[in-house]
Amino acid sequence: MSLSLLWIPVTLVAAAAQTARNATQRKLTETIGTVGATQVRFLYGFPFALFALGMLRLVSGEMIPGVSSAFFAYVLAGAVSQILATGLMLSAMRQRSFAVVTAYTKTEPVQVALFGLLLLGDRVTPPIALAIVIATAGVLIMSVKPGTDLKNAGLRPVIFGMASGACFALAAIGFRGAILSLEQGSFVMRATTTLAWGLGLQTAILVLWLGIFDRKALISSFRAWRPSLGAGFFGALASQFWFIGFALTTAANVRTLALVEVLMAQLVSHRFMSHATTKRELVGMGLIIVGVGLLLWAQH
């Protein structure tokens, strides 16, 4: 496979791993709360990231890249944005179905394309822009139910889900910026180095926050180490492949193809959480498939 197209299978693996991580985290919110469940993906993912970096260093013989102030600024911005995005997403999931909230967060590709152009100079061709619009329209059709549904459910989960998407968009741009700022190493080494730094910063920030403001949640996250290991592993696995994708192509390409996660989430909801699929959601999923297909066609 051409290296220029390697980001496609990489992104699909990342989307599958993230669906598994989201489902695991959602269950943890019931026992250790939103902030505690947000923290476990970083705390328990960090050792896996360090292990991956160490093994890559050993197997490839590459040196771990040195970091600059620009790298640190980008990775810190990505780390903080992702913490906010995850917390907002889990808060919304406590009030709405897993698939619907995942769909709300996936309004991010349009924002990723805009932020990528403004902050990194990542240009989007007309066919790719059309693909982003079509796929995002599919997400919105899946998400926005008739007015009575929104009235009964309240606007809070909608707002939290949309805000989560915006923060995920900023996180994607921050991490891609960090990867591009590294001057040495293969794309895999630069991606893995950025992942280790990102998860390390996120772990430090959340452990400090919980230690000061919510020690009960911090202690609970340590006690729930068995299920948390699963969330940490799938979180680190997903992030590893997201970052490799960011090293290979624009964040807009990666996050648009990542909309297949909505389809995976719908399958999880239908199979394990007894959420029925409506005709409207089928139309939305069809548009996502069309948009993703156009995106892949535009790569040739």
Side-chain angles (χ1 to χ4, degrees):
M1 176 182 291
S2 170
L3 190 63
S4 65
L5 297 179
L6 182 60
W7 68 272
I8 296 172
V10 163
T11 299
L12 294 176
V13 172
Q18 183 153 303
T19 299
R21 188 213 68 205
N22 286 347
T24 304
Q25 270 188 295
R26 185 175 186 269
K27 295 179 181 179
L28 285 170
T29 61
E30 300 171 3
T31 56
I32 62 178
T34 299
V35 179
T38 300
Q39 184 247 13
V40 298
R41 71 167 287 193
F42 306 122
L43 174 64
Y44 291 94
F46 184 41
F48 290 110
L50 289 179
F51 176 77
L53 183 61
M55 289 300 297
L56 181 60
R57 169 72 179 88
L58 181 65
V59 172
S60 70
E62 289 186 81
M63 296 297 294
I64 297 173
V67 301
S68 63
S69 57
F71 170 87
F72 187 79
Y74 275 122
V75 78
L76 180 61
V80 172
S81 295
Q82 194 173 46
I83 289 173
L84 293 174
T86 305
L88 287 166
M89 179 187 70
L90 292 176
S91 293
M93 281 182 177
R94 298 184 73 174
Q95 303 170 59
R96 293 294 295 275
S97 80
F98 174 72
V100 170
V101 172
T102 299
Y104 284 136
T105 67
K106 295 308 164 188
T107 57
E108 68 171 289
V110 173
Q111 300 173 76
V112 169
L114 179 60
F115 292 144
L117 176 62
L118 294 176
L119 301 177
L120 300 179
D122 287 339
R123 297 194 175 277
V124 178
T125 65
I128 292 177
L130 180 60
I132 293 172
V133 170
I134 292 174
T136 302
V139 170
L140 293 175
I141 288 173
M142 285 186 67
S143 306
V144 181
K145 295 184 178 181
T148 53
D149 179 75
L150 291 178
K151 182 179 179 181
N152 293 334
L155 287 176
R156 188 172 181 178
V158 179
I159 294 172
F160 279 14
M162 298 288 283
S164 174
C167 289
F168 274 126
L170 289 171
I173 296 305
F175 289 134
R176 174 164 162 78
I179 292 168
L180 294 178
S181 72
L182 293 175
E183 298 180 355
Q184 300 175 337
S186 65
F187 66 90
V188 177
M189 176 59 79
R190 288 183 287 116
T192 308
T193 299
T194 303
L195 174 62
W197 270 88
L199 286 177
L201 286 170
Q202 289 165 328
T203 298
I205 291 168
L206 280 172
V207 167
L208 180 61
W209 174 272
L210 290 173
I212 296 174
F213 297 105
D214 195 348
R215 292 185 182 180
K216 183 179 178 180
L218 180 60
I219 294 172
S220 295
S221 69
F222 288 130
R223 288 176 177 169
W225 65 269
R226 284 185 177 87
S228 297
L229 274 176
F233 170 76
F234 284 117
L237 180 65
S239 294
Q240 176 72 72
F241 281 88
W242 289 136
F243 284 23
I244 291 175
F246 294 152
L248 292 170
T249 189
T250 66
N253 279 346
V254 172
R255 300 311 293 166
T256 301
L257 180 56
L259 289 176
V260 298
E261 185 190 343
V262 176
L263 309 183
M264 296 176 184
Q266 187 68 29
L267 178 62
V268 170
S269 290
H270 180 73
R271 177 65 179 83
F272 298 107
M273 301 178 189
S274 301
H275 292 146
T277 301
T278 66
K279 292 181 179 179
R280 175 185 45 76
E281 288 170 338
L282 288 174
V283 171
M285 288 189 284
L287 284 176
I288 292 172
I289 292 171
V290 171
V292 167
L294 179 59
L295 173 73
L296 299 182
W297 173 83
Q299 305 303 314
H300 295 284

